[in-house]
C-alpha cells in the first residue's frame, strides 16, 4: 500500500512539474490611447502595468489571463459648453486565447483574443449642468461617485505580440460592450502599445 501511495505521489509531482514547465509568468508596461464612441470625445493618453500568466494548452495554443492596473481619461471637445472630464484608475482582467506562430530561432508571433472584465476603482471628474437656460460649470476637479455596479464594464480584447527570447512587444485593442458614464455614456475604445518580460 505504501508503495502504491508513493508511486501516486511521485506521479502527481511529475505531472505538476511538467505542467509548471509549460507555464510562464510575465510583467509588462503599456502606453494607452483611449477614447469613447460618444460624440465630441477626444483621444487621451494613459498608461498601464500588469502581470500575465501564459499556460500552454495544446500544440501552439495557450491561455493567457492578465491582471492590469491602468489610468485613462475622457474629455469632451465642445466649443459651446465647458469641457466635461472623467478619469479612472482601473483593474482589468482579460482572459485571452493565444496562438503561437514560430518564426525561427527564439522568435515567435502571438495572436491574442478574448473577453475582459474591468473595475473602475476611483477617479476625478469635471461636469457641467444647464439650469434655467444658463450653463453652470465646475472648473475644478472633484472625485466621481458611482453606484457599485456602475464601476464595472466588460468587453472584448484582441492583439498581437512579438516574442524574442523572453522579451515581448505588445499591441492590444479593447472595446467595452457596456456604455459607461465614465466614458461619457459611450463605449470605451483603447489602443495599447507596450513591452513585457517573461520569467
Amino acid at each position: 500500500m505504501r508503495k502504491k501511495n508513493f508511486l501516486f505521489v511521485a506521479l502527481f509531482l511529475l505531472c505538476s512539474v511538467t505542467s509548471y514547465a509549460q507555464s510562464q509568468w510575465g510583467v509588462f508596461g503599456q502606453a494607452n490611447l483611449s477614447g469613447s464612441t460618444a460624440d465630441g470625445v477626444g483621444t487621451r493618453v494613459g498608461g498601464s502595468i500588469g502581470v500575465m500568466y501564459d499556460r500552454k494548452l495544446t500544440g501552439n495554443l495557450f491561455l493567457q489571463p492578465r491582471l492590469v492596473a491602468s489610468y485613462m481619461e475622457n474629455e469632451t471637445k465642445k466649443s459651446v459648453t465647458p469641457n466635461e472630464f472623467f478619469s479612472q484608475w482601473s483593474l482589468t482582467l482579460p482572459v485571452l486565447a493565444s496562438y503561437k506562430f514560430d518564426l525561427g530561432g527564439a522568435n515567435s508571433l502571438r495572436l491574442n483574443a478574448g473577453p475582459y472584465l474591468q473595475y473602475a476603482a476611483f477617479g476625478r471628474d469635471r461636469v457641467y449642468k444647464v439650469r434655467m437656460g444658463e450653463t453652470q460649470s465646475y472648473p475644478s476637479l472633484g472625485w466621481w461617485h458611482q453606484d457599485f455596479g456602475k464601476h464595472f464594464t466588460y468587453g472584448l480584447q484582441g492583439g498581437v505580440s512579438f516574442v524574442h527570447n523572453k522579451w515581448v512587444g505588445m499591441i492590444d485593442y479593447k472595446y467595452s460592450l457596456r456604455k459607461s458614464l465614465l466614458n461619457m455614456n459611450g463605449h470605451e475604445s483603447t489602443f495599447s502599445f507596450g513591452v513585457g518580460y517573461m520569467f
Side-chain angles (χ1 to χ4, degrees):
M1 180 63 72
R2 288 184 178 179
K3 188 174 182 180
K4 288 183 179 180
N5 289 339
F6 175 79
L7 290 175
F8 176 79
V9 170
L11 181 61
F12 174 79
L13 290 176
L14 180 61
C15 291
S16 299
V17 170
T18 302
S19 174
Y20 179 79
Q22 297 186 15
S23 302
Q24 287 183 294
W25 287 93
V27 295
F28 60 91
Q30 294 178 303
N32 303 332
L33 295 174
S34 299
S36 171
T37 60
D39 291 337
V41 179
T43 301
R44 306 279 291 189
V45 177
S48 60
I49 56 173
V51 295
M52 55 187 168
Y53 177 70
D54 201 46
R55 173 74 169 92
K56 185 173 183 178
L57 298 178
T58 178
N60 289 343
L61 184 62
F62 294 75
L63 182 67
Q64 192 179 94
R66 303 176 183 179
L67 183 61
V68 188
S70 61
Y71 174 79
M72 63 173 290
E73 299 177 349
N74 279 305
E75 185 174 23
T76 57
K77 298 295 181 182
K78 299 178 181 178
S79 59
V80 295
T81 57
N83 289 347
E84 286 187 279
F85 174 87
F86 285 94
S87 67
Q88 55 180 299
W89 292 89
S90 302
L91 284 176
T92 308
L93 178 64
V95 180
L96 308 176
S98 178
Y99 191 84
K100 177 182 178 182
F101 295 91
D102 289 316
L103 302 180
N107 302 316
S108 63
L109 186 71
R110 294 284 196 94
L111 296 181
N112 312 308
Y116 73 85
L117 178 67
Q118 182 168 290
Y119 173 72
F122 59 90
R124 308 297 298 273
D125 67 355
R126 180 175 62 243
V127 298
Y128 69 87
K129 296 180 180 180
V130 177
R131 292 182 179 174
M132 303 181 71
E134 293 185 1
T135 300
Q136 297 182 349
S137 62
Y138 302 83
S140 61
L141 291 176
W143 295 94
W144 52 256
H145 300 282
Q146 300 286 326
D147 294 335
F148 181 72
K150 293 182 180 179
H151 285 240
F152 290 92
T153 56
Y154 53 86
L156 299 175
Q157 179 171 321
V160 60
S161 301
F162 175 75
V163 182
H164 175 71
N165 290 325
K166 294 187 176 184
W167 291 97
V168 184
M170 310 166 69
I171 301 175
D172 294 302
Y173 174 73
K174 67 187 179 85
Y175 181 85
S176 65
L177 298 177
R178 182 186 187 188
K179 292 182 178 180
S180 170
L181 177 63
L182 303 178
N183 297 311
M184 307 299 182
N185 289 315
H187 299 275
E188 177 193 340
S189 176
T190 300
F191 283 96
S192 301
F193 311 87
V195 177
Y197 185 83
M198 305 297 293
F199 297 98

